[in-house]
Amino acid sequence: MKRREFVTKLGIGMAAGGSLLAGCDKQETSTAKPGKAKTEYEWNMVTTWPKDFPGLGTGANTLARQISEMSGGRIKVTVYGAKELVPAFEVFDAVSNGAAEIGHGAAYYWKGKNEAFQFFSTVPFGMNAQEMNGWMHHGGGLELWKEAYAPFNLIPAPAGNTTVQMAGWFNKEINNISDLKGLKMRIPGLGGEVLGRAGGTPVNLPGGELFTALQTGVLDATEWVGPYNDLAFGFHKVAKYYYYPGWHEPGTTLEAIINKKAFEALPSDLQAIVTGACRIANQDMVDEYTAHNNAALDELVNVHKVLVRRLPDDVLAKLKVLSDEVVHEVANKNDLGKKVFASYSKFREQAMEWHNISERAYYNARG
Ligand code: CA
């Protein structure tokens, strides 16, 4: 079904923008004043998240709202949660083939296309949000990402970052690496590969299916994001221990993917607005997580009596050895992987040198 037919069928899109259109002359285009412009482009945004889900779904909403507001309504973006237009894991293909103009998700979901894509989301023991943003926007990361997605008619942009995640929810204590053996755990991307090498069974499920999977025993454990998101899903009702730190996702970049043809159909001012809106949404998600994780952790611990545990040092050390193996293997699978990893790892080394005497030193001093 064509997008326009779909929009008409559901009675959405133009109807929702009715107030914007009221009083607008059909001839009115380039002379329109900001806030009074007529809708020139109707975009559908498909996402891998439940609709309006805190942080991730709301991050997609922020991006859509920014594009609509900054363009004075000339672009109207309608956001769809996972399964509303397409299932979570079909977002990439839907935008690639033009069924939707824009998508919001994470690059590690598309490792089936090319394993090297995972470097654009997160790497176990890799860069945090601040470092990823530096690499993307001022260290060559985004150029490489654009090159990687070009064969799929997609233009990517960082459009959110979860900051450091939690290691996940478990119903037994993890005291040594053998406690991960046989564990069926939802953990995506490179972290999932690492769990597999530690003897566990990584499962990749969309967020909306995790609570039931944990409750019914389809999963023994799950990671998701951090206190803000995990409290919203209610994992504390079906798991006892909440482990940190999120070694597997130290600062996951969320992505906007824009259909190349749809982007190129825009005049240059609207292209700049879409690009700028991604940048705003990217930073806004960091701000949102920073503001809400604190209060959510407090509620999990003090109201719901969740037992927060730190993964033992030797477990983390073993996971780091396995992670290095996995990351190097994936990096060497193809030319893209080699090129992206060379850029990523050089930036990471330099960032670590600097952050050891800045961020880390400051955290230590602050106590
Ligand atoms: Ca996660």
Side-chain angles (χ1 to χ4, degrees):
M1 185 189 299
K2 288 231 163 41
R3 175 187 61 80
R4 212 162 276 283
E5 291 165 359
F6 185 86
V7 167
T8 308
K9 190 174 175 193
L10 289 188
I12 50 180
M14 292 300 283
S19 60
L20 279 175
L21 297 173
C24 283
D25 189 302
K26 276 183 184 167
Q27 307 292 318
E28 192 178 12
T29 49
S30 59
T31 56
K33 287 179 184 165
K36 288 189 176 176
K38 90 189 245 292
T39 300
E40 297 169 35
Y41 301 91
E42 283 176 65
W43 277 17
N44 284 339
M45 181 189 286
V46 287
T47 70
T48 57
W49 325 116
K51 184 89 165 91
D52 301 329
F53 190 74
L56 304 168
T58 55
N61 294 346
T62 298
L63 176 57
R65 193 179 63 247
Q66 288 293 339
I67 294 172
S68 298
E69 288 181 2
M70 288 163 74
S71 70
R74 288 162 66 200
I75 310 176
K76 176 171 168 46
V77 184
T78 305
V79 182
Y80 295 92
K83 292 186 190 168
E84 287 187 323
L85 267 191
V86 294
F89 294 155
E90 288 175 23
V91 164
F92 186 95
D93 286 339
V95 183
S96 176
N97 67 28
E101 288 76 11
I102 185 167
H104 193 270
Y108 55 33
Y109 290 144
W110 325 123
K111 68 175 183 179
K113 307 283 181 193
N114 191 322
E115 290 203 44
F117 289 0
Q118 296 172 100
F119 292 121
F120 301 116
S121 53
T122 193
V123 172
F125 299 96
M127 293 196 273
N128 65 16
Q130 195 176 340
E131 294 162 349
M132 278 300 282
N133 285 331
W135 179 57
M136 284 288 183
H137 296 296
H138 292 280
L142 183 54
E143 282 79 9
L144 287 167
W145 197 3
K146 285 179 177 171
E147 189 182 320
Y149 277 17
F152 301 91
N153 302 312
L154 291 173
I155 299 168
N161 194 299
T162 64
T163 69
V164 180
Q165 301 196 3
M166 288 289 280
W169 295 87
F170 299 80
N171 273 311
K172 66 171 190 176
E173 286 193 74
I174 306 299
N175 295 316
N176 56 63
I177 195 86
S178 64
D179 289 325
L180 297 175
K181 278 213 169 78
L183 203 72
K184 274 183 297 175
M185 179 172 180
R186 186 271 183 183
I187 172 169
L190 296 164
E193 286 284 320
V194 174
L195 179 75
R197 302 229 176 155
T201 305
V203 179
N204 195 10
L205 283 176
E209 297 172 24
L210 296 180
F211 182 88
T212 307
L214 202 55
Q215 191 177 38
T216 57
V218 169
L219 290 176
D220 299 317
T222 189
E223 69 78 60
W224 176 229
V225 183
Y228 177 38
N229 283 165
D230 296 5
L231 173 65
F233 266 158
F235 292 136
H236 55 278
K237 295 173 196 158
V238 285
K240 193 171 170 191
Y241 301 105
Y242 195 22
Y243 270 90
Y244 71 94
W247 57 274
H248 63 305
E249 297 202 57
T252 303
T253 291
L254 287 316
E255 67 178 10
I257 45 176
I258 303 152
N259 179 273
K260 189 165 175 277
K261 210 167 145 188
F263 187 77
E264 287 175 350
L266 300 176
S268 59
D269 61 333
L270 292 184
Q271 288 183 346
I273 281 168
V274 169
T275 306
C278 289
R279 197 76 185 260
I280 290 172
N282 189 52
Q283 182 60 44
D284 190 69
M285 192 184 291
V286 172
D287 304 346
E288 187 175 354
Y289 276 104
T290 302
H292 291 294
N293 271 332
N294 321 325
L297 179 65
D298 183 67
E299 184 177 337
L300 284 169
V301 172
N302 294 312
V303 178
H304 302 297
K305 308 297 178 196
V306 167
L307 300 171
V308 176
R309 295 276 189 272
R310 185 178 187 278
L311 286 172
D313 285 340
D314 64 324
V315 171
L316 286 168
K318 281 171 183 150
L319 289 169
K320 188 165 185 298
V321 169
L322 295 172
S323 294
D324 286 345
E325 275 177 30
V326 166
V327 168
H328 280 90
E329 281 174 31
V330 168
N332 285 306
K333 276 194 175 164
N334 57 46
D335 290 344
L336 180 70
K338 283 177 195 154
K339 194 156 70 168
V340 175
F341 185 64
S343 170
Y344 181 97
S345 54
K346 186 180 174 202
F347 196 95
R348 175 175 169 267
E349 290 310 310
Q350 292 179 343
M352 282 170 68
E353 291 276 322
W354 163 233
H355 278 168
N356 274 337
I357 64 164
S358 56
E359 304 290 329
R360 187 202 297 272
Y362 172 67
Y363 282 165
N364 289 344
R366 187 171 66 179

